[in-house]
Amino acid sequence: DAEITQSPRHKITETGRQVTLACHQTWNHNNMFWYRQDLGHGLRLIHYSYGVQDTNKGEVSDGYSVSRSNTEDLPLTLESAASSQTSVYFCASTPGGTGELFFGEGSRLTVL
Amino acid sequence: GENVEQHPSTLSVQEGDSAVIKCTYSDSASNYFPWYKQELGKRPQLIIDIRSNVGEKKDQRIAVTLNKTAKHFSLHITETQPEDSAVYFCAARNSGNTPLVFGKGTRLSVIA
């Protein structure tokens, strides 16, 4: 079955380290998104992509970057992790337009 | 850009009672309004959505209403059951291929 997977599911890192969260979907969806979820803030958009080589900043993009070298993957990189980036990160994809947004299982990141 | 406000942030109801969650949006060009349910430790999943050419949509015990003039939409759950306990997110998207903007979520507790 087609799906969207994230790895790692849990990670603990130290302040200042670079961290990459992987997102892989097998639906061949053009549109992919990264959200972070924090208590009291809901789901906030970090970065998104509408296709290969396309990336766009979302509401809370500072300190994060993404790259889209193929349709299936949108890795999220924290260049220098900060304690404020402790959160649950969700990757999501949709074929486009007003199609349903499908979420991955989430990655819980703790920055000490 | 779009801004989505969601109320209440927490809601407790007795099993069998109805629950109503309300959202307002700011962009009059928004035309797609989905609702997502997130059970504890799980990913958000779409439960119902409505488009701007429809005023109401129903699916068994859940329904969504849309008032475009007032720019608000609501989720109604009737005959609530313990398995309805979850966090519910509303979202809105304006015309074109723009990302969903989510409300901050409502934690619904159904008390048996």
Side-chain angles (χ1 to χ4, degrees), chain A residues 44-86:
Chain A
R44 293 183 292 174
L45 184 64
I46 306 172
H47 281 287
Y48 59 102
S49 169
Y50 289 146
V52 176
Q53 301 302 327
D54 176 73
T55 60
N56 305 278
K57 294 181 178 181
E59 175 190 359
V60 290
S61 60
D62 287 349
Y64 303 94
S65 63
V66 293
S67 61
R68 189 85 180 272
S69 59
N70 59 53
T71 302
E72 296 80 16
D73 299 290
L74 186 70
L76 177 71
T77 298
L78 288 68
E79 301 293 343
S80 177
S83 57
S84 60
Q85 294 176 308
T86 292

Side-chain angles (χ1 to χ4, degrees), chain A residues 4 9 27 31 33 35 37 39-45 48 50 90 94 96-106, chain B residues 31-32 36 38 41-47 49 51 87 89 93-105 107:
Chain A
I4 181 168
R9 295 290 314 282
W27 284 302
N31 300 355
F33 308 84
Y35 289 89
Q37 183 175 21
L39 195 63
H41 292 279
L43 293 158
R44 293 183 292 174
L45 184 64
Y48 59 102
Y50 289 146
F90 284 98
T94 182
T98 53
E100 178 178 350
L101 191 64
F102 294 90
F103 285 88
E105 293 176 302
Chain B
N31 60 2
Y32 177 62
Y36 283 79
Q38 185 182 28
K42 304 289 187 181
R43 72 188 86 185
Q45 291 189 298
L46 179 71
I47 54 171
D49 57 15
R51 302 175 195 275
V87 177
F89 292 98
R93 176 192 285 146
N94 60 25
S95 59
N97 207 17
T98 56
L100 278 174
V101 175
F102 286 87
K104 292 184 178 181
R107 181 173 299 279

